[in-house]
Amino acid sequence: MTNVTLQAIAGDNNLILSPPSFALVKAMADEENELQETELSYDQKKEIAKWFLLNAPAGEINYVAKDLKEVLSDEEVYNEAAMEAFPVYNKSHMICLEMPSRAGDVIISSYSEITENEYLDPRTAQVAIVDHVKQICTKVRPAYDEELPSSYIEEFRSALDAEIQRYVSESYPKGVSTVNCTKGKDADGPGMDFELVVIITARKLSPQNFCNGSWRSVWNIDFQDESQVLDIKGKVQVGAHYFEEGNVELDAKKEFQDSTIFQSADDCAIAIANIIRHHETEYLGALEVAYSKLPDNTFKDLRRKLPVTRTLFPWQNTLQFSLTREVEKELGLGNSRNGAFGLKIHLKSNVQQTSIYKRQKKNECINRASLQVISNVLTSVKDVRPKGTRDSSSFRSSDKQPFL
Amino acid sequence: MEAALGLLRRMPPKQSETALSALLSLLPQHSSDLLSQVDLPLQVLRDAESRKDFILCEYNRDADSYRSPWSNKYHPPLEDALYPSSELRKLEVEANDIFAIYRDQYYEGGISSVYMWEDDNEGFVACFLIKKDGSKSGHGRRGCLEEGAWDAIHVIQVGPEEEEMAQYCLTSTIMLSLTTDDEPSGKFGLSGSIRRQMKMELAVAEGHLCNMGRMIEELEGKLRNSLDQVYFGKTREMVCTLRPPAEIVQMRLPDS
């Protein structure tokens, strides 16, 4: 859901929010004295502010908001952006809020939404009234009859809720769950289709350790009366963010599909909970496998731990290598067109020499001596040729150095 | 400025380009600060004359043109452009050749470029860049990545030679993003960036290139390991905290 919103925003303001071309970014830097050119409108600022808020990792929206306020230094823009972004963020992250007077917790999601500030907790038949920006539940009221499912549906819903609660308490140290009826809640008996949605979320926030994470599962169970089949669709999303002296993010998601037969409320609940447990356990195992493949497989396709030669790069021989090449060039032996190919061959011979180098210290002196001869020859050749004009002035000003 | 960097640290690494451009438009007065402190994924241009690709960055840019390390020409052509001294250019040429072999041995593909320029304190600065597309459709030998991008930026400041010694200050940044999409794990994506610094005083007897190369090799290796073990490890730990594997839950049950 977040993605859809973001695309929409990016579409409206593609000039600012689509990934910029390199040239554009640079051009912006060059235009820093021409503030007129880059002055943003109120709406553009607001869209940018919303983009930052919506992209906050799990549990970090308030930190993002604090920095954003400072960057914007425009209370009005910030407040309006926050009013629009927080509800979307809270629902897509399915945050869990504590209801006042120990009434339990309520999960904020589009499945339990009555109005933008009111969310149904079907377990306690209460409606939580929330302040999205403060991320608190300010009040609760009993749900009206028309907000609750019929007793026929409630039988299925509460049975499933109990089974899911049992599963969550066994498998998630800090998990919360809810079961909402999203379609056909007024069915008063067999003969009608309806849909229940199971939400399971778990969050672990430890900002002092620069690490936050969240697990979100949504399972849609479509009770099809005619075919007497339950169609089950699941979507699990796992995120983790570690940002101590860096910024690294895990983003994993998977969709599932399954089905079972329409039975009594209690039997359905057990069957569904088992299916969810089975898929989620298997998924966790698959994530573990994906992680275990990283060092020797996946990551290797980006960069190897050691070179193909399995020894550190022979930097000490590169002087010799480049001199050999220079000599070739000077003598007209080198072929610049097949440069890369030629270089590899040289390197191989250098690597062989490295091992000899190590074993026989004697050779080192000989090598050095021969290098000296070659370099002397080269220097003399250079002296004869006219040198290029040398620019002694600094050609990059120091302000471009990327040091922190 | 601090708040801006704070925001960049929290935004998804894959969105760093968008985040930076948003900040640049909000804070035009800080644009050069931002651009100098934030590294973006590297871009590549073709040097038609040398029939080779080269990497674009702040260090080979003059106005809107970029200098190719292969032909030493600006793309698009630029009059009165800045060039390194002929002596430094010689070292640059050598560094490009050798670094290409280093890159091939560690990366089995990818693109590399080295740029050098004189600095104000009689030394020089060198920038070693590597870009690798490790995806199935790119240079991924094992074909396990749906998407795989690696950008390495090594900027090394070399002080003037004093009594056959020189000070080296290396700042390395790695940016990466990898996604696999296999059964049964589904879409599995890890992305991030880290930056570290390393300072050394070394004898120049074996040449600057040798010293710079060894430092880069060491720091690049360290960064790769800490991404693999520390950073990815932390996210893995987090997943296991959220939903511990079954064996752990069963072990805990008798206690509770």
Side-chain angles (χ1 to χ4, degrees):
Chain A
M1 273 212 329
T2 321
N3 284 338
V4 175
T5 325
L6 288 179
Q7 272 161 12
I9 291 169
D12 292 338
N13 291 275
N14 52 4
L15 195 115
I16 309 153
L17 291 174
S18 63
S21 70
F22 199 61
L24 178 68
V25 174
K26 301 300 169 199
M28 282 167 132
D30 289 340
E31 279 167 16
E32 75 184 271
N33 296 325
E34 300 166 44
L35 290 181
Q36 291 288 323
E37 294 275 329
T38 49
E39 194 72 66
L40 297 173
S41 72
Y42 183 89
D43 282 347
Q44 283 175 317
K45 273 191 191 170
K46 193 181 83 184
E47 290 306 321
I48 292 178
K50 277 167 67 182
W51 182 86
F52 276 110
L53 291 170
L54 289 172
N55 271 289
E60 294 179 40
I61 192 167
N62 287 313
Y63 298 93
V64 168
K66 188 174 154 278
D67 285 339
L68 184 64
K69 254 189 227 174
E70 213 171 303
V71 168
L72 284 172
S73 59
D74 186 332
E75 199 76 6
E76 204 187 333
V77 170
Y78 170 76
N79 287 338
E80 201 172 316
M83 291 287 284
E84 289 176 30
F86 269 85
V88 179
Y89 180 89
N90 291 343
K91 281 187 277 181
S92 70
H93 281 259
M94 299 189 289
I95 65 162
C96 177
L97 300 179
E98 204 179 313
M99 292 189 282
S101 55
R102 299 180 177 231
D105 294 326
V106 61
I107 293 179
I108 307 305
S109 79
S110 56
Y111 308 104
S112 58
E113 182 175 13
I114 294 170
T115 66
E116 194 174 77
N117 298 322
E118 292 182 313
Y119 296 84
L120 176 69
D121 175 32
R123 196 176 295 155
T124 59
Q126 291 184 101
V127 171
I129 296 145
V130 305
D131 180 328
H132 277 292
V133 177
K134 289 187 182 151
Q135 294 189 319
I136 51 166
C137 170
T138 51
K139 264 193 291 192
V140 283
R141 66 162 170 86
Y144 306 128
D145 280 349
E146 63 268 25
E147 289 163 350
L148 294 168
S150 68
S151 59
Y152 167 68
I153 301 292
E154 181 57 22
E155 200 187 337
F156 284 90
R157 197 210 62 77
S158 60
L160 182 56
D161 192 24
E163 278 304 313
I164 295 293
Q165 262 186 289
R166 201 157 67 90
Y167 157 61
V168 169
S169 68
E170 284 167 12
S171 301
Y172 295 85
K174 286 193 171 161
V176 283
S177 65
T178 180
V179 179
N180 280 286
C181 178
T182 47
K183 263 183 226 155
K185 73 177 179 64
D186 299 320
D188 50 12
M192 302 263 283
D193 292 350
F194 60 95
E195 186 189 59
L196 297 180
V197 174
V198 175
I199 295 174
I200 301 169
T201 72
R203 286 213 295 184
K204 163 87 180 168
L205 306 181
S206 80
Q208 70 283 5
N209 297 320
F210 306 98
C211 204
N212 298 310
S214 76
W215 176 297
R216 285 172 265 174
S217 329
V218 177
W219 294 87
N220 292 58
I221 300 109
D222 195 3
F223 290 74
Q224 294 167 351
D225 191 81
E226 201 187 347
S227 55
Q228 290 289 296
V229 166
L230 309 190
D231 199 15
I232 302 173
K233 287 196 182 82
K235 194 179 167 189
V236 178
Q237 209 176 336
V238 188
H241 185 213
Y242 179 60
F243 53 102
E244 185 170 18
E245 292 184 63
N247 179 4
V248 171
E249 183 197 55
L250 161 76
D251 176 19
K253 50 180 92 106
K254 192 175 182 209
E255 294 186 10
F256 304 85
Q257 206 155 6
D258 212 325
S259 64
T260 183
I261 47 165
F262 209 139
Q263 309 162 73
S264 71
D266 288 342
D267 290 340
C268 277
I270 292 167
I272 296 164
N274 279 338
I275 286 172
I276 293 177
R277 181 198 305 263
H278 166 76
H279 284 299
E280 291 192 344
T281 308
E282 225 175 50
Y283 179 56
L284 186 77
L287 283 182
E288 277 293 298
V289 172
Y291 268 115
S292 67
K293 275 197 207 157
L294 270 177
D296 294 320
N297 221 332
T298 324
F299 210 160
K300 217 173 181 176
D301 262 356
L302 288 181
R303 185 193 185 269
R304 303 171 58 94
K305 242 182 222 162
L306 277 174
V308 280
T309 57
R310 292 177 193 279
T311 52
L312 289 178
F313 192 74
W315 296 101
Q316 67 279 10
N317 278 16
T318 55
L319 176 67
Q320 178 192 354
F321 145 73
S322 56
L323 282 171
T324 321
R325 200 161 164 274
E326 282 260 356
V327 171
E328 280 184 354
K329 227 191 226 168
E330 298 290 338
L331 301 176
L333 295 173
N335 184 348
S336 63
R337 287 293 174 219
N338 69 0
F341 185 65
L343 297 181
K344 269 183 209 164
I345 295 168
H346 281 303
L347 192 86
K348 268 191 189 154
S349 67
N350 279 344
V351 172
Q352 277 164 4
Q353 277 170 23
T354 320
S355 43
I356 300 165
Y357 212 56
K358 278 177 188 163
R359 269 181 264 131
Q360 298 173 315
K361 283 281 169 187
K362 244 169 141 187
N363 276 9
E364 192 178 322
C365 311
I366 299 164
N367 265 343
R368 290 259 159 130
S370 63
L371 283 178
Q372 196 52 49
V373 174
I374 301 171
S375 81
N376 285 344
V377 172
L378 284 176
T379 327
S380 54
V381 172
K382 282 276 149 65
D383 283 344
V384 180
R385 295 189 319 172
K387 282 187 179 175
T389 43
R390 208 185 139 181
D391 180 11
S392 60
S393 68
S394 156
F395 104 97
R396 287 287 177 217
S397 58
S398 55
D399 64 352
K400 280 181 182 161
Q401 288 164 23
F403 296 101
L404 281 168
Chain B
M1 210 29 223
E2 209 158 288
L5 293 176
L7 281 175
L8 287 169
R9 203 167 54 133
R10 295 193 186 272
M11 286 300 112
K14 276 190 167 181
Q15 305 278 2
S16 59
E17 243 173 307
T18 315
L20 180 64
S21 78
L23 284 173
L24 286 170
S25 54
L26 287 175
L27 302 168
Q29 70 278 20
H30 290 299
S31 56
S32 57
D33 270 359
L34 277 167
L35 285 171
S36 68
Q37 296 198 26
V38 180
D39 291 305
L40 281 177
L42 300 166
Q43 309 284 316
V44 172
L45 207 66
R46 185 78 176 167
D47 180 345
E49 186 186 312
S50 317
R51 288 197 258 164
K52 277 181 171 177
D53 291 328
F54 67 100
I55 300 174
L56 314 185
C57 70
E58 244 339 75
Y59 309 112
N60 63 331
R61 180 178 79 93
D62 193 352
D64 292 327
S65 295
Y66 295 89
R67 185 169 61 89
S68 158
W70 314 117
S71 62
N72 203 26
K73 285 183 180 156
Y74 276 88
H75 295 68
L78 184 70
E79 274 180 46
D80 302 323
L82 295 161
Y83 294 92
S85 70
S86 59
E87 199 183 331
L88 198 58
R89 170 63 189 157
K90 207 182 120 198
L91 187 63
E92 189 184 81
V93 170
E94 204 180 314
N96 272 290
D97 287 345
I98 291 163
F99 203 54
I101 302 166
Y102 167 86
R103 189 246 311 138
D104 220 42
Q105 291 202 355
Y106 272 102
Y107 291 85
E108 304 170 276
I111 300 163
S112 58
S113 295
V114 182
Y115 302 106
M116 294 187 187
W117 65 99
E118 276 93 1
D119 74 355
D120 295 333
N121 33 19
E122 291 171 43
F124 66 97
V125 186
C127 177
F128 292 75
L129 307 161
I130 294 179
K131 185 174 186 66
K132 163 100 190 260
D133 174 1
S135 68
K136 273 181 207 167
S137 51
H139 285 158
R141 287 278 166 96
R142 288 152 205 88
C144 36
L145 288 170
E146 214 45 55
E147 181 256 329
W150 170 289
D151 292 292
I153 301 172
H154 304 285
V155 179
I156 186 158
Q157 207 170 21
V158 183
E161 209 175 307
E162 275 168 32
E163 292 170 14
E164 292 172 14
M165 300 288 279
Q167 292 280 352
Y168 296 85
C169 177
L170 169 66
T171 307
S172 297
T173 308
I174 306 288
M175 283 168 279
L176 68 85
S177 164
L178 57 91
T179 310
T180 55
D181 197 352
D182 308 315
E183 280 304 318
S185 52
K187 200 168 156 272
F188 175 76
L190 283 163
S191 57
S193 68
I194 52 171
R195 175 191 282 204
R196 295 286 184 274
Q197 218 173 52
M198 180 182 194
K199 285 181 184 168
M200 280 181 126
E201 189 176 3
L202 298 167
V204 283
E206 286 186 292
H208 285 310
L209 202 52
C210 210
N211 289 340
M212 294 193 288
R214 285 199 189 113
M215 282 177 73
I216 288 171
E217 185 173 19
E218 187 183 337
L219 193 53
E220 196 175 77
K222 277 186 182 163
L223 288 173
R224 185 203 184 274
N225 280 351
S226 65
L227 277 166
D228 186 6
Q229 283 154 25
V230 182
Y231 285 81
F232 292 173
K234 284 279 181 186
T235 64
R236 181 185 197 164
E237 238 172 66
M238 177 54 81
V239 174
C240 290
T241 313
L242 293 168
R243 193 185 186 287
E247 347 30 299
I248 296 176
V249 176
Q250 273 161 8
M251 276 164 61
R252 274 189 202 155
L253 274 179
D255 297 336
S256 56

CSV table of all heavy atoms in Angstrom, one decimal, chain B residues 91-127:
chain,number,residue,atom,x,y,z
B,91,LEU,N,51.0,8.5,-13.6
B,91,LEU,CA,50.7,7.7,-12.5
B,91,LEU,C,49.2,7.2,-12.6
B,91,LEU,O,48.8,6.1,-12.4
B,91,LEU,CB,50.9,8.4,-11.2
B,91,LEU,CG,50.7,7.6,-9.9
B,91,LEU,CD1,51.7,6.4,-9.8
B,91,LEU,CD2,50.8,8.5,-8.7
B,92,GLU,N,48.4,8.1,-13.1
B,92,GLU,CA,47.0,7.8,-13.3
B,92,GLU,C,46.7,6.7,-14.3
B,92,GLU,O,45.9,5.8,-14.1
B,92,GLU,CB,46.2,9.1,-13.7
B,92,GLU,CG,44.7,9.0,-13.7
B,92,GLU,CD,44.0,10.3,-14.2
B,92,GLU,OE1,43.9,10.4,-15.5
B,92,GLU,OE2,43.6,11.1,-13.4
B,93,VAL,N,47.5,6.8,-15.4
B,93,VAL,CA,47.4,5.8,-16.5
B,93,VAL,C,47.8,4.4,-15.9
B,93,VAL,O,47.0,3.4,-16.1
B,93,VAL,CB,48.3,6.2,-17.7
B,93,VAL,CG1,48.3,5.0,-18.7
B,93,VAL,CG2,47.7,7.4,-18.4
B,94,GLU,N,48.9,4.4,-15.2
B,94,GLU,CA,49.4,3.2,-14.6
B,94,GLU,C,48.3,2.6,-13.6
B,94,GLU,O,48.0,1.5,-13.6
B,94,GLU,CB,50.7,3.6,-13.9
B,94,GLU,CG,51.6,2.4,-13.7
B,94,GLU,CD,52.9,2.9,-12.9
B,94,GLU,OE1,53.4,4.0,-13.3
B,94,GLU,OE2,53.2,2.2,-12.0
B,95,ALA,N,47.8,3.5,-12.8
B,95,ALA,CA,46.8,3.1,-11.8
B,95,ALA,C,45.6,2.5,-12.4
B,95,ALA,O,45.1,1.5,-11.9
B,95,ALA,CB,46.5,4.3,-10.9
B,96,ASN,N,45.2,3.1,-13.5
B,96,ASN,CA,44.0,2.6,-14.2
B,96,ASN,C,44.2,1.2,-14.7
B,96,ASN,O,43.3,0.3,-14.6
B,96,ASN,CB,43.5,3.5,-15.3
B,96,ASN,CG,42.6,4.6,-14.8
B,96,ASN,OD1,41.5,4.3,-14.5
B,96,ASN,ND2,43.1,5.8,-14.7
B,97,ASP,N,45.4,1.0,-15.3
B,97,ASP,CA,45.7,-0.4,-15.8
B,97,ASP,C,45.7,-1.4,-14.7
B,97,ASP,O,45.2,-2.5,-14.8
B,97,ASP,CB,47.0,-0.3,-16.5
B,97,ASP,CG,47.0,0.4,-17.9
B,97,ASP,OD1,45.8,0.6,-18.3
B,97,ASP,OD2,48.0,0.8,-18.4
B,98,ILE,N,46.4,-1.1,-13.7
B,98,ILE,CA,46.6,-2.0,-12.6
B,98,ILE,C,45.3,-2.3,-11.8
B,98,ILE,O,45.0,-3.4,-11.5
B,98,ILE,CB,47.7,-1.6,-11.7
B,98,ILE,CG1,49.1,-1.7,-12.4
B,98,ILE,CG2,47.8,-2.4,-10.4
B,98,ILE,CD1,50.2,-0.9,-11.8
B,99,PHE,N,44.6,-1.2,-11.6
B,99,PHE,CA,43.3,-1.3,-10.9
B,99,PHE,C,42.3,-2.1,-11.6
B,99,PHE,O,41.5,-2.8,-11.1
B,99,PHE,CB,42.8,0.1,-10.5
B,99,PHE,CG,41.9,0.1,-9.4
B,99,PHE,CD1,42.3,-0.4,-8.1
B,99,PHE,CD2,40.6,0.6,-9.5
B,99,PHE,CE1,41.4,-0.4,-7.0
B,99,PHE,CE2,39.7,0.6,-8.4
B,99,PHE,CZ,40.2,0.1,-7.2
B,100,ALA,N,42.4,-2.1,-13.0
B,100,ALA,CA,41.5,-2.9,-13.8
B,100,ALA,C,41.8,-4.4,-13.6
B,100,ALA,O,40.8,-5.2,-13.6
B,100,ALA,CB,41.7,-2.5,-15.3
B,101,ILE,N,43.0,-4.7,-13.3
B,101,ILE,CA,43.3,-6.1,-13.1
B,101,ILE,C,42.9,-6.5,-11.7
B,101,ILE,O,42.3,-7.6,-11.5
B,101,ILE,CB,44.8,-6.4,-13.2
B,101,ILE,CG1,45.3,-6.0,-14.6
B,101,ILE,CG2,45.2,-7.8,-13.0
B,101,ILE,CD1,46.8,-5.8,-14.7
B,102,TYR,N,43.1,-5.6,-10.7
B,102,TYR,CA,42.7,-5.9,-9.4
B,102,TYR,C,41.1,-6.1,-9.4
B,102,TYR,O,40.6,-7.1,-8.8
B,102,TYR,CB,43.0,-4.6,-8.5
B,102,TYR,CG,42.3,-4.5,-7.2
B,102,TYR,CD1,42.9,-5.2,-6.1
B,102,TYR,CD2,41.1,-3.8,-7.0
B,102,TYR,CE1,42.3,-5.1,-4.8
B,102,TYR,CE2,40.5,-3.7,-5.8
B,102,TYR,CZ,41.1,-4.4,-4.7
B,102,TYR,OH,40.5,-4.3,-3.5
B,103,ARG,N,40.4,-5.2,-10.1
B,103,ARG,CA,39.0,-5.3,-10.2
B,103,ARG,C,38.5,-6.6,-10.8
B,103,ARG,O,37.6,-7.3,-10.3
B,103,ARG,CB,38.5,-4.1,-11.0
B,103,ARG,CG,37.0,-3.9,-11.0
B,103,ARG,CD,36.4,-4.1,-12.4
B,103,ARG,NE,37.1,-3.4,-13.4
B,103,ARG,CZ,37.3,-3.9,-14.6
B,103,ARG,NH1,37.0,-5.2,-14.9
B,103,ARG,NH2,38.0,-3.3,-15.5
B,104,ASP,N,39.2,-7.0,-11.8
B,104,ASP,CA,38.9,-8.3,-12.5
B,104,ASP,C,39.1,-9.5,-11.6
B,104,ASP,O,38.3,-10.4,-11.6
B,104,ASP,CB,39.7,-8.5,-13.7
B,104,ASP,CG,38.9,-9.0,-14.9
B,104,ASP,OD1,37.8,-8.6,-15.0
B,104,ASP,OD2,39.4,-9.9,-15.6
B,105,GLN,N,40.1,-9.4,-10.8
B,105,GLN,CA,40.4,-10.6,-9.9
B,105,GLN,C,39.4,-10.7,-8.7
B,105,GLN,O,39.1,-11.8,-8.3
B,105,GLN,CB,41.8,-10.4,-9.3
B,105,GLN,CG,42.9,-10.7,-10.4
B,105,GLN,CD,44.2,-11.1,-9.8
B,105,GLN,OE1,44.4,-11.1,-8.6
B,105,GLN,NE2,45.1,-11.4,-10.6
B,106,TYR,N,39.0,-9.5,-8.2
B,106,TYR,CA,38.0,-9.6,-7.1
B,106,TYR,C,36.6,-9.6,-7.5
B,106,TYR,O,35.7,-10.1,-6.9
B,106,TYR,CB,38.2,-8.4,-6.2
B,106,TYR,CG,39.2,-8.6,-5.1
B,106,TYR,CD1,40.5,-8.0,-5.2
B,106,TYR,CD2,38.9,-9.3,-4.0
B,106,TYR,CE1,41.5,-8.2,-4.2
B,106,TYR,CE2,39.9,-9.5,-2.9
B,106,TYR,CZ,41.1,-8.9,-3.1
B,106,TYR,OH,42.0,-9.1,-2.1
B,107,TYR,N,36.3,-9.0,-8.7
B,107,TYR,CA,34.9,-8.8,-9.1
B,107,TYR,C,34.5,-9.6,-10.3
B,107,TYR,O,33.3,-9.7,-10.6
B,107,TYR,CB,34.7,-7.3,-9.4
B,107,TYR,CG,34.8,-6.4,-8.2
B,107,TYR,CD1,36.0,-5.9,-7.8
B,107,TYR,CD2,33.6,-6.0,-7.5
B,107,TYR,CE1,36.0,-5.1,-6.7
B,107,TYR,CE2,33.7,-5.2,-6.4
B,107,TYR,CZ,34.9,-4.7,-6.0
B,107,TYR,OH,34.9,-3.9,-4.9
B,108,GLU,N,35.4,-10.2,-11.0
B,108,GLU,CA,35.1,-11.0,-12.2
B,108,GLU,C,34.1,-10.2,-13.1
B,108,GLU,O,33.1,-10.7,-13.5
B,108,GLU,CB,34.4,-12.3,-11.7
B,108,GLU,CG,35.3,-13.1,-10.8
B,108,GLU,CD,34.6,-14.3,-10.2
B,108,GLU,OE1,33.9,-14.2,-9.2
B,108,GLU,OE2,34.7,-15.4,-10.8
B,109,GLY,N,34.5,-9.0,-13.4
B,109,GLY,CA,33.7,-8.2,-14.2
B,109,GLY,C,33.6,-6.8,-13.6
B,109,GLY,O,34.5,-6.4,-12.8
B,110,GLY,N,32.7,-6.0,-14.0
B,110,GLY,CA,32.5,-4.6,-13.5
B,110,GLY,C,33.4,-3.6,-14.3
B,110,GLY,O,34.0,-3.9,-15.3
B,111,ILE,N,33.3,-2.4,-13.8
B,111,ILE,CA,34.0,-1.3,-14.5
B,111,ILE,C,34.8,-0.5,-13.4
B,111,ILE,O,34.3,-0.4,-12.3
B,111,ILE,CB,33.0,-0.3,-15.1
B,111,ILE,CG1,32.1,-1.0,-16.1
B,111,ILE,CG2,33.6,0.9,-15.7
B,111,ILE,CD1,30.8,-0.2,-16.4
B,112,SER,N,36.0,-0.1,-13.8
B,112,SER,CA,36.8,0.7,-12.8
B,112,SER,C,37.4,1.9,-13.4
B,112,SER,O,37.6,1.9,-14.7
B,112,SER,CB,37.9,-0.2,-12.2
B,112,SER,OG,38.7,-0.7,-13.2
B,113,SER,N,37.6,2.9,-12.6
B,113,SER,CA,38.3,4.2,-13.1
B,113,SER,C,39.1,4.7,-12.0
B,113,SER,O,38.6,4.7,-10.8
B,113,SER,CB,37.2,5.2,-13.6
B,113,SER,OG,36.5,4.8,-14.7
B,114,VAL,N,40.2,5.3,-12.3
B,114,VAL,CA,41.0,6.0,-11.3
B,114,VAL,C,41.3,7.4,-11.8
B,114,VAL,O,41.6,7.7,-12.9
B,114,VAL,CB,42.4,5.3,-11.1
B,114,VAL,CG1,43.2,6.0,-10.0
B,114,VAL,CG2,42.2,3.8,-10.7
B,115,TYR,N,41.1,8.4,-10.9
B,115,TYR,CA,41.3,9.8,-11.2
B,115,TYR,C,42.3,10.4,-10.2
B,115,TYR,O,42.2,10.1,-9.0
B,115,TYR,CB,40.0,10.6,-11.2
B,115,TYR,CG,39.0,10.0,-12.2
B,115,TYR,CD1,37.9,9.3,-11.7
B,115,TYR,CD2,39.2,10.1,-13.5
B,115,TYR,CE1,37.0,8.8,-12.6
B,115,TYR,CE2,38.3,9.6,-14.4
B,115,TYR,CZ,37.2,8.9,-14.0
B,115,TYR,OH,36.3,8.3,-14.8
B,116,MET,N,43.2,11.2,-10.7
B,116,MET,CA,44.1,11.9,-9.7
B,116,MET,C,44.2,13.4,-10.0
B,116,MET,O,44.0,13.8,-11.1
B,116,MET,CB,45.5,11.3,-9.9
B,116,MET,CG,45.5,9.8,-9.5
B,116,MET,SD,47.2,9.2,-9.5
B,116,MET,CE,46.8,7.5,-9.3
B,117,TRP,N,44.5,14.1,-8.9
B,117,TRP,CA,44.7,15.5,-9.1
B,117,TRP,C,45.6,16.0,-8.0
B,117,TRP,O,45.6,15.5,-6.9
B,117,TRP,CB,43.3,16.3,-9.1
B,117,TRP,CG,42.5,16.2,-7.9
B,117,TRP,CD1,42.4,17.2,-6.9
B,117,TRP,CD2,41.7,15.1,-7.5
B,117,TRP,NE1,41.6,16.7,-5.9
B,117,TRP,CE2,41.1,15.5,-6.2
B,117,TRP,CE3,41.3,13.9,-8.0
B,117,TRP,CZ2,40.2,14.7,-5.6
B,117,TRP,CZ3,40.4,13.1,-7.3
B,117,TRP,CH2,39.9,13.5,-6.1
B,118,GLU,N,46.3,17.1,-8.3
B,118,GLU,CA,47.1,17.8,-7.3
B,118,GLU,C,46.3,18.4,-6.2
B,118,GLU,O,45.2,19.0,-6.5
B,118,GLU,CB,48.0,18.8,-7.9
B,118,GLU,CG,49.3,18.2,-8.6
B,118,GLU,CD,49.1,17.9,-10.0
B,118,GLU,OE1,48.0,18.2,-10.6
B,118,GLU,OE2,50.0,17.4,-10.7
B,119,ASP,N,46.7,18.4,-5.0
B,119,ASP,CA,46.0,19.2,-4.0
B,119,ASP,C,46.9,20.4,-3.5
B,119,ASP,O,48.0,20.6,-4.0
B,119,ASP,CB,45.5,18.3,-2.8
B,119,ASP,CG,46.5,17.9,-1.9
B,119,ASP,OD1,47.7,18.2,-2.2
B,119,ASP,OD2,46.2,17.3,-0.9
B,120,ASP,N,46.3,21.1,-2.5
B,120,ASP,CA,47.0,22.4,-2.1
B,120,ASP,C,48.2,22.2,-1.3
B,120,ASP,O,49.1,23.1,-1.3
B,120,ASP,CB,46.0,23.2,-1.3
B,120,ASP,CG,44.8,23.6,-2.2
B,120,ASP,OD1,45.0,23.7,-3.4
B,120,ASP,OD2,43.7,23.8,-1.6
B,121,ASN,N,48.4,21.0,-0.7
B,121,ASN,CA,49.6,20.9,0.2
B,121,ASN,C,50.6,20.0,-0.4
B,121,ASN,O,51.1,19.1,0.2
B,121,ASN,CB,49.2,20.4,1.6
B,121,ASN,CG,48.0,19.5,1.6
B,121,ASN,OD1,47.7,19.0,0.5
B,121,ASN,ND2,47.3,19.4,2.7
B,122,GLU,N,51.0,20.2,-1.7
B,122,GLU,CA,52.1,19.6,-2.4
B,122,GLU,C,52.0,18.0,-2.4
B,122,GLU,O,52.9,17.4,-2.7
B,122,GLU,CB,53.4,19.9,-1.7
B,122,GLU,CG,53.7,21.4,-1.9
B,122,GLU,CD,54.9,21.8,-1.1
B,122,GLU,OE1,55.9,21.0,-1.0
B,122,GLU,OE2,54.9,22.9,-0.5
B,123,GLY,N,50.8,17.5,-2.1
B,123,GLY,CA,50.6,16.1,-2.3
B,123,GLY,C,49.6,15.9,-3.5
B,123,GLY,O,49.5,16.8,-4.3
B,124,PHE,N,48.9,14.8,-3.4
B,124,PHE,CA,47.9,14.7,-4.5
B,124,PHE,C,46.7,13.8,-3.9
B,124,PHE,O,46.9,13.2,-2.8
B,124,PHE,CB,48.4,14.1,-5.7
B,124,PHE,CG,48.9,12.6,-5.6
B,124,PHE,CD1,48.1,11.6,-5.9
B,124,PHE,CD2,50.2,12.4,-5.1
B,124,PHE,CE1,48.6,10.3,-5.8
B,124,PHE,CE2,50.7,11.1,-5.0
B,124,PHE,CZ,49.8,10.0,-5.3
B,125,VAL,N,45.6,13.8,-4.6
B,125,VAL,CA,44.5,13.0,-4.2
B,125,VAL,C,44.2,12.1,-5.4
B,125,VAL,O,44.3,12.4,-6.5
B,125,VAL,CB,43.3,13.9,-3.9
B,125,VAL,CG1,42.1,13.1,-3.3
B,125,VAL,CG2,43.6,15.0,-2.9
B,126,ALA,N,43.8,10.8,-5.0
B,126,ALA,CA,43.5,9.8,-6.0
B,126,ALA,C,42.1,9.3,-5.7
B,126,ALA,O,41.8,9.1,-4.5
B,126,ALA,CB,44.5,8.7,-6.1
B,127,CYS,N,41.3,9.0,-6.7
B,127,CYS,CA,40.0,8.5,-6.4
B,127,CYS,C,39.9,7.2,-7.2
B,127,CYS,O,40.0,7.2,-8.5
B,127,CYS,CB,39.0,9.5,-6.8
B,127,CYS,SG,37.3,8.9,-6.7
